[in-house]
Amino acid sequence: MSQGTVKVRFWGVRGSTPTVDRTTWRYGGNTPCIEIETGDGARFVVDCGTGLRILGRRYADTFGEQPIDAFVFITHYHWDHIQGLPFFYPLYSEQNHFHFYSFRSEYLGPDSLKRVMQTQMALPYFPVDLSVLKAKREYTEIAGGDKLEIRGIKISVQWLNHPQGCLGFRFETPSGVVVYATDNEPGVPKLDQNLRDLAAGADIYIHDAQYTPEQLTTNHKGWGHSSWQEGVNVAREAGVRNLVLFHHDPDSSDRMLDAILRNTRQQFANAWAASEGMVMTLDEKQMDVVMRDTRTGQRREGFFRATIVGYTEEGRAFEEETVIRDLSLHGALLYLDNLPRLQSELQVLMEAPVDELHPDGRIPLRGFVIRREHPPGENRHAVGIVFAEEVDPDRVGG
Ligand SMILES: [Zn+2]
Ligand SMILES: [Zn+2]
């Protein structure tokens, strides 16, 4: 990784409670946790939802017996932002060192985060107590308005509008600005301004998009969350380059999130729906996005003719004949002349024997672009897609 590169990895993107439903599998069900890694190896973890467990596993793979040193920022103490802490295995090893940053809660007093961890691991809620966490831990109290500098990264902190308080963070790195502002409800002018100050000119702005604009004004008013529409408003007013919708509602299926992202992109083209395993890389302000490959199960190499209909990066519609060379139950690998947009939908019409089920000799499928590569010696783009679930969750069950 070059000195000027910063990587933002999404380990948990779901709000409120983890989900394991198949209908939420593509975007992912772990609760909030992201990691920001700078070119010189400084590591910032923001929020400790269940996604933190996956990050711990990844650290074990990359560090082995080498010590880990990381800075952990916690926005607030609601379950979905702390749940992963007892399952973050690097905390159990004494060679590791974690610097925690969070605010003093009026309900907990001094050492709020330490108390949270003690309570989380207290009897009878957890089998072992805090003394088993052998890693060196330091706790720093921060509050809205604070400015810090850690390993050359400037960090600004602001209060957001959320029950029992919540902090938003702005990380200014040599390659660009990353802003994390989740668990926030619009409508309080001073705090709305805080958010815009925090987000001003951000290269990556991570926004709480839990509710629909309708829910926000009706049954979920006062719950402390925001919507994709508000994300567009903030992104425009603050001159943001990339808007990332985050903290997805546990009841939002992948299909619903696809629709939310489509609506958002109609108003703000550089929008993304945070998905587990997604990595955004900023290098000299250039951005690259990669999705986790969610194609699981057996893959079959083959030769399946198909017609692909979609939209390019520039938003131009295209239709092209191709051959699917690798197919699994969950997705396929295609080679295309056109470069479709990441996280955009493709219609895949696969050639099939003409029979009663397929009178026109085609199987229609919906796919979502999760990967785009340029293999050496191949002049077309290799495009990885996952198929959309055909099952409508509302129609399942008796
Ligand atoms: Zn939350
Ligand atoms: Zn919360």
Side-chain angles (χ1 to χ4, degrees), residues 15-16 32 76 78 80-81 162 183 225 247:
S16 307
H76 64 306
H78 287 163
D80 51 326
H81 299 258
H162 197 61
D183 294 61
H225 295 289
H247 205 276

Side-chain angles (χ1 to χ4, degrees), residues 88-295:
F88 184 54
Y89 292 109
L91 274 177
Y92 292 76
S93 303
E94 61 186 342
Q95 82 265 24
N96 299 331
H97 192 169
F98 295 98
H99 314 256
F100 289 98
Y101 295 81
S102 63
F103 68 89
R104 181 188 291 209
S105 157
E106 62 176 288
Y107 302 92
L108 298 162
D111 294 325
S112 284
L113 180 60
K114 221 192 226 164
R115 283 165 192 270
V116 162
M117 288 168 81
Q118 264 158 3
T119 313
Q120 233 183 346
M121 297 180 78
L123 302 174
Y125 305 112
F126 203 73
V128 291
D129 68 23
L130 205 61
S131 66
V132 297
L133 302 186
K134 300 289 186 215
K136 200 186 295 168
R137 284 163 281 144
E138 278 164 30
Y139 299 87
T140 305
E141 235 169 52
I142 51 173
D146 283 359
K147 290 194 188 300
L148 296 79
E149 186 163 339
I150 300 171
R151 302 270 306 260
I153 309 298
K154 288 199 177 75
I155 302 158
S156 318
V157 185
Q158 288 285 7
W159 289 115
L160 301 177
N161 183 32
H162 197 61
Q164 299 99 52
C166 180
L167 296 173
F169 304 114
R170 174 186 175 95
F171 295 85
E172 293 180 22
T173 80
S175 326
V177 175
V178 181
V179 173
Y180 182 90
T182 190
D183 294 61
N184 175 57
E185 181 164 345
V188 177
K190 168 80 182 76
L191 298 173
D192 287 349
Q193 189 54 48
N194 279 356
L195 181 63
R196 280 148 183 83
D197 292 348
L198 206 64
D203 295 282
I204 298 175
Y205 167 59
I206 302 167
H207 172 89
D208 175 346
Q210 177 152 359
Y211 297 144
T212 62
E214 299 71 44
Q215 285 175 317
L216 202 54
T217 52
T218 55
N219 56 342
H220 284 290
K221 197 174 161 54
W223 284 59
H225 295 289
S226 189
S227 70
W228 63 268
Q229 183 67 67
E230 263 302 307
V232 169
N233 297 345
V234 176
R236 281 184 182 152
E237 288 166 32
V240 160
R241 284 180 65 212
N242 290 282
L243 164 65
V244 182
L245 308 177
F246 188 75
H247 205 276
H248 308 308
D249 192 273
D251 287 332
S252 288
S253 66
D254 291 337
R255 280 185 167 202
M256 287 156 80
L257 290 177
D258 294 338
I260 286 171
L261 180 60
R262 263 199 312 274
N263 290 338
T264 309
R265 282 179 168 173
Q266 276 167 11
Q267 296 188 24
F268 193 86
N270 286 343
W272 309 87
S275 91
E276 219 170 289
M278 179 169 101
V279 182
M280 302 181 106
T281 306
L282 277 172
D283 196 349
E284 313 273 319
K285 292 251 167 196
Q286 290 292 347
M287 209 190 45
D288 184 38
V289 184
V290 177
M291 302 290 151
R292 170 183 65 161
D293 194 343
T294 38
R295 297 173 57 207

